[in-house]
Amino acid sequence: MGSHIFIGGGGADYNETQGLLLKYANRHGLIAGATGTGKTVTLQILAEGFSAAGVPVFLSDVKGDLSGLAAPGSADFKLHGAFTSRAEKIGFEDYTYEAFPVTFWDLFGKAGHPVRTTVAEMGPLLLSRLMELTEAQEGIMNIAFRVADEQGMPLLDLKDLQALLVWVGENRDTLSLRYGNVSPQSVGAIQRQLMVLENQGGASLFGEPALELADLMSHAPDGRGRINILAADKLMGAPRLYATFLLWLLSELFETLPEVGDPDKPKLVFFFDEAHLLFDDAPKALVDKVEQVARLIRSKGVGVYFITQNPDDVPEDILGQLGNRFQHALRAFTARDRKALSRAAETYRPNARFSTVDAIRDVGVGEAVTSMLADKGVPGIVERTLIRPPSSKLGPLTEAERRAAIAASHLAGKYEEVVDRLSAYEILAKRAGEAAQEALKAETVAEEQSIAEREFNAARRYSGKRVARSTARTPDAPELGGFGSQIGAAVGNALLKEMKGTTGRRIVRGILGGLFKGR
């Protein structure tokens, strides 16, 4: 490969080499075009090229077609003849079939190694975006995270966050004095959104062991970069979860990796398929964060390539940072489509041989209008390019082939077993248990005091069995405990009460005074 990745052939006869310079590959890129125009194949040959150059790759497999990167192409394939013919036409002389080192990942742990993060690593901003919270509810999320930090309660999985929100609701009066209003309605709304997220499979995303970024940036024994494929076909059923996870991964790379300036080749290339999901209805704060990451992450040696149907799906400030472009056909059926086509053509450096607008509209399947950064990072002149055929299998692996690849992976067994260590849920449960024991103890003491007081009031301060008499009652003797004794007991109680009062104390003082005076 040398210093560039071979993309295809350009020029009038498609015999001019079109390549992507590795030293500018971290300046990001865009793969755009209507459905069925060849975006997936372009992504596949770029992944192959980066891997062969020793650059690890991360990509999401939205349609399930990219798993074929793990298997070589075959001469029995129906397009074999077309592929070899195209290779000859564009001068791809060393075209061969080969497999590439692939690691499969899956948020649900079914079609690849489980990939997880913790609630704390995701952070309140992205979680609020994930759950579509209002500004007031996002404020409560920030309060919950602050409390967790101050009180040393790790937030690892969803049950930690749910338990913490219950605690926040119970202590809302105290928290409101310090942080601002915490309404039970907002806490309840967040809990309901957490339940929705859990039903969508979001609980699988949070927990430990969390993903180690180093595992995405590894190499095969032969020096080729590993291609990490995230199974996203089922994940697309929860598009907000898909977009938020990929944005979190980008943010983690940005915050974790050291500055490397402009390396000879990227440390990692990240492909973000269905990029419009990231920006649909996104608040300005989130778009600003994406722009910041896209602008600065290249200095960490990471290239980000957005894949979408129309360049208009990407905000203009971010689109301006995508130096390497692969534009497949755009259809112009409506006035709006024609305007979008014109805007897309205006972003390219023109070629005197053809109209960029016409080229974008007319290129066939497997062909693209390309513009890649040239020497000194200057945008290259736009060119019609016949994309080279892939060396790996075009299409998905069988289920048995995927299972075998996962079992033989160098990461087999590392992430499969869930670890549930001490965190906010366990800490708050322990506190609740201790509080319940204290309350039970206090209740028992109060009950004992209440019994003693009732016995005292009933003049039964000493409990126990009645002592048996040694002599038998004579027929003429009055029966103890009868009516007379009841009157006596009543008089005794009245006298005792009086003696305990003020009058009784005066009498006692008078008697004692007289006794001591006489002495």
Side-chain angles (χ1 to χ4, degrees), residues 27-28 314-325 347 373 379:
R27 303 290 181 91
H28 311 323
V314 181
E316 188 172 351
D317 290 341
I318 297 173
L319 190 63
Q321 301 176 44
L322 310 182
N324 301 296
R325 307 284 187 90
T347 62
L373 295 177

Side-chain angles (χ1 to χ4, degrees), residues 241-285:
L241 178 60
Y242 166 78
T244 305
F245 167 73
L246 292 186
L247 179 56
W248 164 79
L249 188 52
L250 270 179
S251 301
E252 283 295 297
L253 289 167
F254 170 67
E255 294 172 4
T256 304
L257 296 178
E259 295 276 346
V260 295
D262 289 317
D264 293 334
K265 61 183 180 181
K267 297 177 66 176
L268 176 72
V269 173
F270 190 102
F271 290 94
F272 201 130
D273 202 359
E274 299 294 341
H276 67 278
L277 296 175
L278 180 60
F279 305 106
D280 287 349
D281 303 321
K284 186 177 184 303

